[in-house]
Amino acid sequence: MTDILDHQIAEPDSLANPRHDWASDNARRRIKKRYGRDRLLRAFGLGAVITALMLLAILIASLTYTGYVAFYTTKVKVDIFLDPQIIDKENPGKTKYRKITKQAFYAYFPDVKNRKDKRNLSKILSSGAQYIVRDYVVAHPEKIGETVTINLPLSDPFDQLHKGVIPRWIDAAGKNGGNGEKMLNPRFKSEKVLVWFDNLVARDMLSSPFSWELFVNADSRFPELAGLAGAFTGSLLALLVCFLISFPVGIAAAIYLEEFAPKNRFTDFIEVNINNLAAVPSVVFGLLGLAVFINFFGLPRSVPLVGGMALALMTLPTIIVSTRAALKAVPPSIREAALGVGASRHEVVLHHVLPLAMPGILTGTIIGLAQALGETAPLLLIGMNAFIPSIENLGLMEPATALPTQIFAWGDSPERGFVSRTSAAILVLIGFLVMMNLVAIYLRQKFERKW
Amino acid sequence: MNMNVETPKEPVDAMTFQLPEELQVKVKTRDVNVHYGEKQALFDINLDVPANHVVSLIGPSGCGKSTYLRCLNRMNDIIDIARVSGKIELDGLDIYDKNIDVVELRARVGMVFQKPNPFPKSIFDNVAYGPRIHGLADNKTELEEIVVTSLQKAGLFDEVKDRLKDSGTGLSGGQQQRLCIARAIATRPEVILMDEPASALDPIATAVIEELIDELRQNFTIIIVTHSMQQAARISQYTAFFHLGYLVEVGDTEQIFTNPVDRRTQDYITGRFG
């Protein structure tokens, strides 16, 4: 109390002489404090940015670290005699190639006689190897009767072993108490198969070419053959449907709300709800799609049409909100100018406001679509996580899967190869998102105009 | 300073001034009231605008002169809360009549705004836009003719004839405003409304615009809102003084500036408020 009184008594003096002493210690300290706070704020901001960047870098680095091995496949060069006795020349696609493939591979290990050993030996090759031979013959029917060299993928454990992802021996700790004992990795049947594998390595039959399978194959039970083509096509189809629905509907709704709707309780209510919709969890939109499109309208499950429609529900609020913001950002002077020369309201919107708002609208749309591309939950609910082993039968009304659901499915698989495949698929998805954002930036800069 | 200003409680009759008989009345305003929601912005405005003359609307900020101007081409329609009552006639035709097409009205009553607002399109398209949407030209040659004539009348043609394809927003401020005038006259209006057309321009550009307004008087009736009393004195034949939503005094420009009847007019033109 006395302090305050003293202060008040001191006040009149300083008022009597209003000139502030900028050189006083107090003033200096205050200035110093101010700058200190400036620096603190800047340091906090910078720290936040650096943290975010570091987390992103860690994410990308870990994905790359686990995922890069999926970009190449271990393959073994095998000479195969395309026996005209076995292969049906008229219809080479119908023949069973399992035997031809196995026999050709056994030929490299003449010592292996025992049936059980042979079976184990054949497990070094991917189970899909026979289909690769089949596809080769179908593509080159003139080679029937000749001996050809085909690069066949190894099965997953050997692929991973060659890539150095899994060890041959593991600690037996899990089994009998951790006394430093080693045991054979249970992914391998016996030590013999490892000997055979080393034999292949020694004979320089193995190579690690770039894995086109990852991009051109559809899904497979065998990780060495599983690819993203099916999921990619499914995602594209769903996004196309999503775009075709949400873009026109979103823009129309935004134009109505922004340019034509009267400002009253009802439109306020709509506005609040659209903003709320943008924050609704995507799984809810999936449920809505399930209930309305599949259960009520009886559309088939798992198809990109329904997936796209569910994603469109989710994207619509984003597009409406960003379009309204873009329309609002068009200066009123342009509207007045157009009205002033006698343009009708639709001419004002279509000739002037919409073209000027286009960069913003496109940016918002692409960001909405990028969100939709990465969305998993609604697709899972409408069943768009089908197992698609072939890209031949893909269409709007055919069962399909999408990139995020494919990642989800792979991430759930026990085979070691799917671990790196999952990371690689995430990298592909992220690459796709980055590309979409680059397109958004490009469009924004291209259409940006000054007024 | 403001002590001298008495807020009028009763509507003021500004009709003490009569236009000379021989002048044709182009725009006739009778008892116009404008409300923005609860707030009344204009009170019982009565004003006759003679054809082929320049009429200045002056008054302090917020006095309603722009509001009045925007009534004349129904620009207030786009403001939801604005309500206009009374009668405004263009050549004897009530422009607030239900049968009046507001699009046609705005073609007949052009407008130039305070800030130059060319469309972010080419110079040619800026001028050609109005004629195009109203179908004033039957073919390309006619359209080009309209554009060239409009630009010539706006005194801009010689400066831009080599770059009609360039963006209108790339011109200087004064040029942009003349482009807006060209755009306004391209729809062949009868009346041009100007809302402080020179307030965003430098003195030289302003002088060019003022000269232009004087020339345009031959073909158009011009109603101009201005903050600059010198400008009003230079370019207009008649001046109307607005204050707090009332039309306080109308008269010959010379008479208004030399011998105003109302005390408020006198206070304003002598710079005691505003």
Side-chain angles (χ1 to χ4, degrees), chain A residues 262-263 333-334 336-344 347 351-352 356 449-451, chain B residues 70 75 78 80 103 106 109 111 113 117-121 129 133-134 169 183 187:
Chain A
K263 297 272 169 286
S333 67
I334 295 292
E336 285 189 334
L339 286 169
V341 294
S344 62
E347 284 167 337
H351 296 173
H352 301 284
L356 288 173
R449 287 194 240 176
K450 290 206 161 172
W451 45 69
Chain B
R70 293 166 70 93
M75 281 298 262
I78 56 170
D80 283 337
V103 165
R106 288 184 191 143
V109 181
M111 190 159 191
F113 297 86
N117 54 356
F119 301 129
K121 298 174 187 266
Y129 182 71
I133 57 172
H134 295 300
T169 49
R183 182 176 66 191
T187 58

mmCIF file of all heavy atoms in Angstrom, chain A residues 262-263 333-334 336-344 347 351-352 356 449-451, chain B residues 70 75 78 80 103 106 109 111 113 117-121 129 133-134 169 183 187:
data_model
loop_
_atom_site.group_PDB
_atom_site.id
_atom_site.type_symbol
_atom_site.label_atom_id
_atom_site.label_comp_id
_atom_site.label_asym_id
_atom_site.label_seq_id
_atom_site.Cartn_x
_atom_site.Cartn_y
_atom_site.Cartn_z
ATOM 1 N N PRO A 262 -29.847 -15.045 -49.575
ATOM 2 C CA PRO A 262 -30.085 -13.934 -48.663
ATOM 3 C C PRO A 262 -29.415 -14.249 -47.332
ATOM 4 O O PRO A 262 -29.247 -15.416 -46.977
ATOM 5 C CB PRO A 262 -31.610 -13.919 -48.522
ATOM 6 C CG PRO A 262 -32.026 -15.316 -48.828
ATOM 7 C CD PRO A 262 -31.045 -15.848 -49.819
ATOM 8 N N LYS A 263 -29.016 -13.199 -46.632
ATOM 9 C CA LYS A 263 -28.400 -13.441 -45.325
ATOM 10 C C LYS A 263 -29.508 -13.533 -44.283
ATOM 11 O O LYS A 263 -30.093 -12.532 -43.885
ATOM 12 C CB LYS A 263 -27.454 -12.286 -44.968
ATOM 13 C CG LYS A 263 -26.292 -12.147 -45.931
ATOM 14 C CD LYS A 263 -25.108 -12.997 -45.523
ATOM 15 C CE LYS A 263 -24.066 -13.060 -46.620
ATOM 16 N NZ LYS A 263 -24.431 -13.912 -47.779
ATOM 17 N N SER A 333 -14.949 -4.266 -55.949
ATOM 18 C CA SER A 333 -14.918 -3.275 -57.033
ATOM 19 C C SER A 333 -15.132 -3.941 -58.384
ATOM 20 O O SER A 333 -15.708 -3.340 -59.291
ATOM 21 C CB SER A 333 -13.584 -2.531 -57.010
ATOM 22 O OG SER A 333 -12.528 -3.391 -57.336
ATOM 23 N N ILE A 334 -14.687 -5.204 -58.519
ATOM 24 C CA ILE A 334 -14.893 -5.910 -59.792
ATOM 25 C C ILE A 334 -16.382 -6.191 -60.001
ATOM 26 O O ILE A 334 -16.925 -6.012 -61.086
ATOM 27 C CB ILE A 334 -14.093 -7.228 -59.792
ATOM 28 C CG1 ILE A 334 -12.594 -6.943 -59.752
ATOM 29 C CG2 ILE A 334 -14.433 -8.072 -61.006
ATOM 30 C CD1 ILE A 334 -12.058 -6.307 -61.000
ATOM 31 N N GLU A 336 -18.830 -4.454 -58.703
ATOM 32 C CA GLU A 336 -19.479 -3.177 -58.983
ATOM 33 C C GLU A 336 -19.249 -2.765 -60.421
ATOM 34 O O GLU A 336 -20.151 -2.265 -61.091
ATOM 35 C CB GLU A 336 -18.934 -2.098 -58.045
ATOM 36 C CG GLU A 336 -19.467 -2.228 -56.637
ATOM 37 C CD GLU A 336 -19.093 -1.034 -55.789
ATOM 38 O OE1 GLU A 336 -18.072 -0.396 -56.103
ATOM 39 O OE2 GLU A 336 -19.825 -0.755 -54.837
ATOM 40 N N ALA A 337 -18.002 -2.958 -60.896
ATOM 41 C CA ALA A 337 -17.686 -2.568 -62.261
ATOM 42 C C ALA A 337 -18.577 -3.318 -63.237
ATOM 43 O O ALA A 337 -19.139 -2.732 -64.169
ATOM 44 C CB ALA A 337 -16.213 -2.866 -62.557
ATOM 45 N N ALA A 338 -18.732 -4.614 -63.012
ATOM 46 C CA ALA A 338 -19.541 -5.415 -63.927
ATOM 47 C C ALA A 338 -21.008 -5.014 -63.831
ATOM 48 O O ALA A 338 -21.677 -4.820 -64.850
ATOM 49 C CB ALA A 338 -19.366 -6.898 -63.613
ATOM 50 N N LEU A 339 -21.491 -4.841 -62.600
ATOM 51 C CA LEU A 339 -22.883 -4.416 -62.441
ATOM 52 C C LEU A 339 -23.092 -3.048 -63.077
ATOM 53 O O LEU A 339 -24.120 -2.770 -63.679
ATOM 54 C CB LEU A 339 -23.251 -4.363 -60.963
ATOM 55 C CG LEU A 339 -23.449 -5.696 -60.263
ATOM 56 C CD1 LEU A 339 -23.543 -5.485 -58.761
ATOM 57 C CD2 LEU A 339 -24.698 -6.392 -60.776
ATOM 58 N N GLY A 340 -22.078 -2.197 -62.944
ATOM 59 C CA GLY A 340 -22.175 -0.830 -63.436
ATOM 60 C C GLY A 340 -22.342 -0.744 -64.944
ATOM 61 O O GLY A 340 -22.961 0.189 -65.448
ATOM 62 N N VAL A 341 -21.788 -1.704 -65.693
ATOM 63 C CA VAL A 341 -22.004 -1.668 -67.143
ATOM 64 C C VAL A 341 -23.223 -2.488 -67.527
ATOM 65 O O VAL A 341 -23.493 -2.687 -68.701
ATOM 66 C CB VAL A 341 -20.780 -2.174 -67.948
ATOM 67 C CG1 VAL A 341 -19.614 -1.244 -67.771
ATOM 68 C CG2 VAL A 341 -20.429 -3.587 -67.589
ATOM 69 N N GLY A 342 -23.948 -2.971 -66.523
ATOM 70 C CA GLY A 342 -25.214 -3.613 -66.828
ATOM 71 C C GLY A 342 -25.151 -5.118 -66.932
ATOM 72 O O GLY A 342 -26.000 -5.723 -67.573
ATOM 73 N N ALA A 343 -24.148 -5.727 -66.309
ATOM 74 C CA ALA A 343 -24.115 -7.185 -66.307
ATOM 75 C C ALA A 343 -25.160 -7.698 -65.325
ATOM 76 O O ALA A 343 -25.381 -7.098 -64.274
ATOM 77 C CB ALA A 343 -22.731 -7.684 -65.900
ATOM 78 N N SER A 344 -25.815 -8.801 -65.687
ATOM 79 C CA SER A 344 -26.762 -9.393 -64.744
ATOM 80 C C SER A 344 -25.972 -10.173 -63.700
ATOM 81 O O SER A 344 -24.763 -10.345 -63.832
ATOM 82 C CB SER A 344 -27.739 -10.308 -65.469
ATOM 83 O OG SER A 344 -27.033 -11.372 -66.063
ATOM 84 N N GLU A 347 -24.009 -13.033 -64.962
ATOM 85 C CA GLU A 347 -22.865 -12.611 -65.777
ATOM 86 C C GLU A 347 -21.724 -12.112 -64.897
ATOM 87 O O GLU A 347 -20.556 -12.381 -65.175
ATOM 88 C CB GLU A 347 -23.287 -11.520 -66.760
ATOM 89 C CG GLU A 347 -24.070 -12.077 -67.928
ATOM 90 C CD GLU A 347 -24.772 -10.996 -68.741
ATOM 91 O OE1 GLU A 347 -25.030 -9.892 -68.208
ATOM 92 O OE2 GLU A 347 -25.070 -11.263 -69.899
ATOM 93 N N HIS A 351 -18.644 -14.327 -65.599
ATOM 94 C CA HIS A 351 -17.630 -13.655 -66.422
ATOM 95 C C HIS A 351 -16.479 -13.099 -65.592
ATOM 96 O O HIS A 351 -15.380 -12.958 -66.097
ATOM 97 C CB HIS A 351 -18.256 -12.500 -67.211
ATOM 98 C CG HIS A 351 -19.274 -12.952 -68.205
ATOM 99 N ND1 HIS A 351 -20.061 -12.081 -68.922
ATOM 100 C CD2 HIS A 351 -19.639 -14.194 -68.600
ATOM 101 C CE1 HIS A 351 -20.872 -12.769 -69.711
ATOM 102 N NE2 HIS A 351 -20.645 -14.053 -69.534
ATOM 103 N N HIS A 352 -16.755 -12.709 -64.358
ATOM 104 C CA HIS A 352 -15.741 -11.962 -63.624
ATOM 105 C C HIS A 352 -15.299 -12.630 -62.329
ATOM 106 O O HIS A 352 -14.125 -12.871 -62.121
ATOM 107 C CB HIS A 352 -16.244 -10.545 -63.337
ATOM 108 C CG HIS A 352 -16.579 -9.792 -64.575
ATOM 109 N ND1 HIS A 352 -15.614 -9.257 -65.380
ATOM 110 C CD2 HIS A 352 -17.751 -9.546 -65.174
ATOM 111 C CE1 HIS A 352 -16.183 -8.685 -66.428
ATOM 112 N NE2 HIS A 352 -17.482 -8.854 -66.325
ATOM 113 N N LEU A 356 -11.749 -15.062 -61.602
ATOM 114 C CA LEU A 356 -10.762 -14.505 -60.685
ATOM 115 C C LEU A 356 -10.569 -15.396 -59.463
ATOM 116 O O LEU A 356 -9.493 -15.425 -58.881
ATOM 117 C CB LEU A 356 -11.186 -13.100 -60.238
ATOM 118 C CG LEU A 356 -11.052 -12.032 -61.317
ATOM 119 C CD1 LEU A 356 -11.647 -10.727 -60.856
ATOM 120 C CD2 LEU A 356 -9.600 -11.843 -61.677
ATOM 121 N N ARG A 449 -4.099 -13.604 -61.204
ATOM 122 C CA ARG A 449 -4.097 -12.337 -61.922
ATOM 123 C C ARG A 449 -4.202 -11.205 -60.928
ATOM 124 O O ARG A 449 -4.724 -11.362 -59.845
ATOM 125 C CB ARG A 449 -5.286 -12.276 -62.871
ATOM 126 C CG ARG A 449 -5.085 -13.176 -64.054
ATOM 127 C CD ARG A 449 -6.089 -12.837 -65.089
ATOM 128 N NE ARG A 449 -6.906 -14.006 -65.352
ATOM 129 C CZ ARG A 449 -7.937 -13.998 -66.170
ATOM 130 N NH1 ARG A 449 -8.278 -12.880 -66.768
ATOM 131 N NH2 ARG A 449 -8.634 -15.071 -66.382
ATOM 132 N N LYS A 450 -3.711 -10.085 -61.371
ATOM 133 C CA LYS A 450 -3.797 -8.918 -60.489
ATOM 134 C C LYS A 450 -5.030 -8.121 -60.842
ATOM 135 O O LYS A 450 -5.489 -8.123 -61.962
ATOM 136 C CB LYS A 450 -2.553 -8.059 -60.675
ATOM 137 C CG LYS A 450 -1.328 -8.723 -60.112
ATOM 138 C CD LYS A 450 -0.330 -7.670 -59.741
ATOM 139 C CE LYS A 450 0.661 -8.259 -58.763
ATOM 140 N NZ LYS A 450 1.753 -7.393 -58.480
ATOM 141 N N TRP A 451 -5.541 -7.419 -59.860
ATOM 142 C CA TRP A 451 -6.638 -6.512 -60.161
ATOM 143 C C TRP A 451 -6.396 -5.207 -59.482
ATOM 144 O O TRP A 451 -5.556 -5.090 -58.606
ATOM 145 C CB TRP A 451 -7.975 -7.113 -59.742
ATOM 146 C CG TRP A 451 -7.968 -7.739 -58.409
ATOM 147 C CD1 TRP A 451 -7.866 -7.119 -57.201
ATOM 148 C CD2 TRP A 451 -8.045 -9.145 -58.137
ATOM 149 N NE1 TRP A 451 -7.892 -8.019 -56.207
ATOM 150 C CE2 TRP A 451 -7.998 -9.260 -56.746
ATOM 151 C CE3 TRP A 451 -8.165 -10.268 -58.933
ATOM 152 C CZ2 TRP A 451 -8.062 -10.494 -56.135
ATOM 153 C CZ3 TRP A 451 -8.227 -11.476 -58.303
ATOM 154 C CH2 TRP A 451 -8.184 -11.600 -56.922
ATOM 155 N N ARG B 70 -26.016 6.199 -56.118
ATOM 156 C CA ARG B 70 -26.222 4.774 -56.382
ATOM 157 C C ARG B 70 -27.693 4.418 -56.518
ATOM 158 O O ARG B 70 -28.025 3.325 -56.980
ATOM 159 C CB ARG B 70 -25.580 3.943 -55.266
ATOM 160 C CG ARG B 70 -24.058 4.057 -55.261
ATOM 161 C CD ARG B 70 -23.479 3.521 -53.987
ATOM 162 N NE ARG B 70 -23.619 2.075 -53.935
ATOM 163 C CZ ARG B 70 -22.679 1.244 -54.352
ATOM 164 N NH1 ARG B 70 -21.552 1.708 -54.831
ATOM 165 N NH2 ARG B 70 -22.867 -0.051 -54.292
ATOM 166 N N MET B 75 -27.858 0.691 -57.983
ATOM 167 C CA MET B 75 -26.769 -0.116 -57.436
ATOM 168 C C MET B 75 -27.068 -0.509 -55.995
ATOM 169 O O MET B 75 -26.453 -1.431 -55.456
ATOM 170 C CB MET B 75 -25.440 0.649 -57.495
ATOM 171 C CG MET B 75 -24.785 0.653 -58.848
ATOM 172 S SD MET B 75 -24.338 -0.979 -59.430
ATOM 173 C CE MET B 75 -22.621 -1.007 -58.989
ATOM 174 N N ILE B 78 -28.166 -4.272 -54.782
ATOM 175 C CA ILE B 78 -27.346 -5.416 -54.388
ATOM 176 C C ILE B 78 -27.075 -5.426 -52.892
ATOM 177 O O ILE B 78 -26.584 -6.406 -52.362
ATOM 178 C CB ILE B 78 -26.001 -5.461 -55.158
ATOM 179 C CG1 ILE B 78 -25.235 -4.164 -54.977
ATOM 180 C CG2 ILE B 78 -26.224 -5.765 -56.610
ATOM 181 C CD1 ILE B 78 -23.821 -4.247 -55.501
ATOM 182 N N ASP B 80 -28.515 -5.928 -49.463
ATOM 183 C CA ASP B 80 -29.745 -6.557 -48.982
ATOM 184 C C ASP B 80 -30.583 -5.630 -48.112
ATOM 185 O O ASP B 80 -31.804 -5.603 -48.225
ATOM 186 C CB ASP B 80 -29.393 -7.820 -48.166
ATOM 187 C CG ASP B 80 -29.028 -8.969 -49.085
ATOM 188 O OD1 ASP B 80 -29.458 -8.927 -50.253
ATOM 189 O OD2 ASP B 80 -28.324 -9.890 -48.637
ATOM 190 N N VAL B 103 -30.878 -4.325 -65.712
ATOM 191 C CA VAL B 103 -29.726 -4.494 -66.592
ATOM 192 C C VAL B 103 -29.724 -3.417 -67.677
ATOM 193 O O VAL B 103 -28.707 -2.779 -67.961
ATOM 194 C CB VAL B 103 -29.757 -5.918 -67.195
ATOM 195 C CG1 VAL B 103 -28.824 -6.024 -68.368
ATOM 196 C CG2 VAL B 103 -29.399 -6.945 -66.141
ATOM 197 N N ARG B 106 -28.946 0.030 -66.199
ATOM 198 C CA ARG B 106 -27.532 0.288 -65.930
ATOM 199 C C ARG B 106 -26.750 0.494 -67.214
ATOM 200 O O ARG B 106 -25.670 1.090 -67.205
ATOM 201 C CB ARG B 106 -26.929 -0.854 -65.116
ATOM 202 C CG ARG B 106 -27.438 -0.810 -63.684
ATOM 203 C CD ARG B 106 -26.794 -1.858 -62.832
ATOM 204 N NE ARG B 106 -27.501 -1.953 -61.558
ATOM 205 C CZ ARG B 106 -27.711 -3.090 -60.923
ATOM 206 N NH1 ARG B 106 -27.281 -4.229 -61.437
ATOM 207 N NH2 ARG B 106 -28.363 -3.102 -59.784
ATOM 208 N N VAL B 109 -27.672 4.140 -67.763
ATOM 209 C CA VAL B 109 -27.076 5.019 -66.752
ATOM 210 C C VAL B 109 -25.735 4.400 -66.349
ATOM 211 O O VAL B 109 -25.673 3.508 -65.514
ATOM 212 C CB VAL B 109 -27.998 5.153 -65.529
ATOM 213 C CG1 VAL B 109 -27.388 6.091 -64.509
ATOM 214 C CG2 VAL B 109 -29.363 5.631 -65.941
ATOM 215 N N MET B 111 -21.743 4.109 -64.954
ATOM 216 C CA MET B 111 -21.163 4.545 -63.683
ATOM 217 C C MET B 111 -19.646 4.424 -63.706
ATOM 218 O O MET B 111 -19.097 3.464 -64.244
ATOM 219 C CB MET B 111 -21.730 3.698 -62.538
ATOM 220 C CG MET B 111 -21.367 4.240 -61.174
ATOM 221 S SD MET B 111 -22.498 3.647 -59.915
ATOM 222 C CE MET B 111 -22.061 4.670 -58.531
ATOM 223 N N PHE B 113 -16.414 4.631 -60.967
ATOM 224 C CA PHE B 113 -16.250 4.526 -59.513
ATOM 225 C C PHE B 113 -15.040 5.317 -59.021
ATOM 226 O O PHE B 113 -14.215 5.776 -59.800
ATOM 227 C CB PHE B 113 -16.128 3.058 -59.117
ATOM 228 C CG PHE B 113 -17.360 2.280 -59.430
ATOM 229 C CD1 PHE B 113 -17.540 1.725 -60.690
ATOM 230 C CD2 PHE B 113 -18.367 2.125 -58.497
ATOM 231 C CE1 PHE B 113 -18.689 1.009 -60.997
ATOM 232 C CE2 PHE B 113 -19.505 1.420 -58.791
ATOM 233 C CZ PHE B 113 -19.668 0.861 -60.051
ATOM 234 N N ASN B 117 -11.405 0.671 -61.573
ATOM 235 C CA ASN B 117 -11.590 -0.775 -61.417
ATOM 236 C C ASN B 117 -11.751 -1.465 -62.762
ATOM 237 O O ASN B 117 -12.776 -2.074 -63.029
ATOM 238 C CB ASN B 117 -12.790 -1.069 -60.522
ATOM 239 C CG ASN B 117 -14.058 -0.396 -60.998
ATOM 240 O OD1 ASN B 117 -14.034 0.361 -61.979
ATOM 241 N ND2 ASN B 117 -15.158 -0.675 -60.362
ATOM 242 N N PRO B 118 -10.721 -1.375 -63.617
ATOM 243 C CA PRO B 118 -10.828 -2.108 -64.881
ATOM 244 C C PRO B 118 -10.872 -3.606 -64.603
ATOM 245 O O PRO B 118 -10.347 -4.068 -63.597
ATOM 246 C CB PRO B 118 -9.546 -1.724 -65.625
ATOM 247 C CG PRO B 118 -8.600 -1.315 -64.574
ATOM 248 C CD PRO B 118 -9.424 -0.722 -63.471
ATOM 249 N N PHE B 119 -11.534 -4.343 -65.493
ATOM 250 C CA PHE B 119 -11.508 -5.799 -65.359
ATOM 251 C C PHE B 119 -10.097 -6.288 -65.632
ATOM 252 O O PHE B 119 -9.388 -5.697 -66.442
ATOM 253 C CB PHE B 119 -12.440 -6.449 -66.388
ATOM 254 C CG PHE B 119 -13.870 -6.017 -66.265
ATOM 255 C CD1 PHE B 119 -14.572 -5.566 -67.370
ATOM 256 C CD2 PHE B 119 -14.511 -6.060 -65.039
ATOM 257 C CE1 PHE B 119 -15.889 -5.170 -67.263
ATOM 258 C CE2 PHE B 119 -15.831 -5.665 -64.928
ATOM 259 C CZ PHE B 119 -16.522 -5.214 -66.040
ATOM 260 N N PRO B 120 -9.678 -7.370 -65.009
ATOM 261 C CA PRO B 120 -8.345 -7.922 -65.330
ATOM 262 C C PRO B 120 -8.359 -8.625 -66.684
ATOM 263 O O PRO B 120 -8.084 -9.800 -66.792
ATOM 264 C CB PRO B 120 -8.071 -8.887 -64.172
ATOM 265 C CG PRO B 120 -9.373 -9.132 -63.528
ATOM 266 C CD PRO B 120 -10.322 -8.081 -63.915
ATOM 267 N N LYS B 121 -8.745 -7.862 -67.693
ATOM 268 C CA LYS B 121 -8.782 -8.376 -69.063
ATOM 269 C C LYS B 121 -8.059 -7.362 -69.932
ATOM 270 O O LYS B 121 -7.580 -6.346 -69.441
ATOM 271 C CB LYS B 121 -10.230 -8.494 -69.549
ATOM 272 C CG LYS B 121 -11.109 -9.441 -68.772
ATOM 273 C CD LYS B 121 -12.534 -9.308 -69.307
ATOM 274 C CE LYS B 121 -13.516 -10.081 -68.476
ATOM 275 N NZ LYS B 121 -13.816 -11.399 -68.924
ATOM 276 N N TYR B 129 -16.795 -5.245 -73.278
ATOM 277 C CA TYR B 129 -17.627 -6.121 -72.456
ATOM 278 C C TYR B 129 -19.096 -5.686 -72.448
ATOM 279 O O TYR B 129 -19.991 -6.495 -72.704
ATOM 280 C CB TYR B 129 -17.083 -6.186 -71.028
ATOM 281 C CG TYR B 129 -17.886 -7.111 -70.165
ATOM 282 C CD1 TYR B 129 -17.824 -8.483 -70.364
ATOM 283 C CD2 TYR B 129 -18.746 -6.632 -69.182
ATOM 284 C CE1 TYR B 129 -18.583 -9.351 -69.610
ATOM 285 C CE2 TYR B 129 -19.505 -7.490 -68.424
ATOM 286 C CZ TYR B 129 -19.425 -8.842 -68.631
ATOM 287 O OH TYR B 129 -20.194 -9.699 -67.889
ATOM 288 N N ILE B 133 -22.345 -7.875 -73.909
ATOM 289 C CA ILE B 133 -23.437 -8.503 -73.159
ATOM 290 C C ILE B 133 -24.783 -7.887 -73.523
ATOM 291 O O ILE B 133 -25.808 -8.539 -73.396
ATOM 292 C CB ILE B 133 -23.219 -8.441 -71.625
ATOM 293 C CG1 ILE B 133 -23.058 -7.008 -71.148
ATOM 294 C CG2 ILE B 133 -22.037 -9.290 -71.206
ATOM 295 C CD1 ILE B 133 -23.045 -6.898 -69.633
ATOM 296 N N HIS B 134 -24.770 -6.636 -74.015
ATOM 297 C CA HIS B 134 -26.050 -6.035 -74.376
ATOM 298 C C HIS B 134 -26.361 -6.227 -75.855
ATOM 299 O O HIS B 134 -27.396 -5.768 -76.324
ATOM 300 C CB HIS B 134 -26.034 -4.540 -74.044
ATOM 301 C CG HIS B 134 -25.919 -4.265 -72.573
ATOM 302 N ND1 HIS B 134 -26.853 -4.703 -71.676
ATOM 303 C CD2 HIS B 134 -24.975 -3.633 -71.846
ATOM 304 C CE1 HIS B 134 -26.485 -4.340 -70.457
ATOM 305 N NE2 HIS B 134 -25.349 -3.705 -70.528
ATOM 306 N N THR B 169 -5.240 -3.592 -66.448
ATOM 307 C CA THR B 169 -4.716 -3.286 -65.123
ATOM 308 C C THR B 169 -3.263 -2.833 -65.182
ATOM 309 O O THR B 169 -2.715 -2.393 -64.178
ATOM 310 C CB THR B 169 -4.814 -4.514 -64.198
ATOM 311 O OG1 THR B 169 -4.272 -5.641 -64.888
ATOM 312 C CG2 THR B 169 -6.230 -4.805 -63.816
ATOM 313 N N ARG B 183 -15.268 2.487 -70.845
ATOM 314 C CA ARG B 183 -16.112 1.311 -70.657
ATOM 315 C C ARG B 183 -17.552 1.727 -70.380
ATOM 316 O O ARG B 183 -18.498 1.114 -70.869
ATOM 317 C CB ARG B 183 -15.566 0.503 -69.475
ATOM 318 C CG ARG B 183 -16.322 -0.769 -69.193
ATOM 319 C CD ARG B 183 -15.674 -1.537 -68.085
ATOM 320 N NE ARG B 183 -15.747 -0.814 -66.817
ATOM 321 C CZ ARG B 183 -15.087 -1.161 -65.729
ATOM 322 N NH1 ARG B 183 -14.268 -2.195 -65.762
ATOM 323 N NH2 ARG B 183 -15.213 -0.479 -64.613
ATOM 324 N N THR B 187 -21.470 1.530 -73.627
ATOM 325 C CA THR B 187 -22.830 1.009 -73.687
ATOM 326 C C THR B 187 -23.809 2.090 -74.144
ATOM 327 O O THR B 187 -25.011 1.899 -74.073
ATOM 328 C CB THR B 187 -23.285 0.474 -72.324
ATOM 329 O OG1 THR B 187 -23.190 1.524 -71.368
ATOM 330 C CG2 THR B 187 -22.417 -0.684 -71.855
#
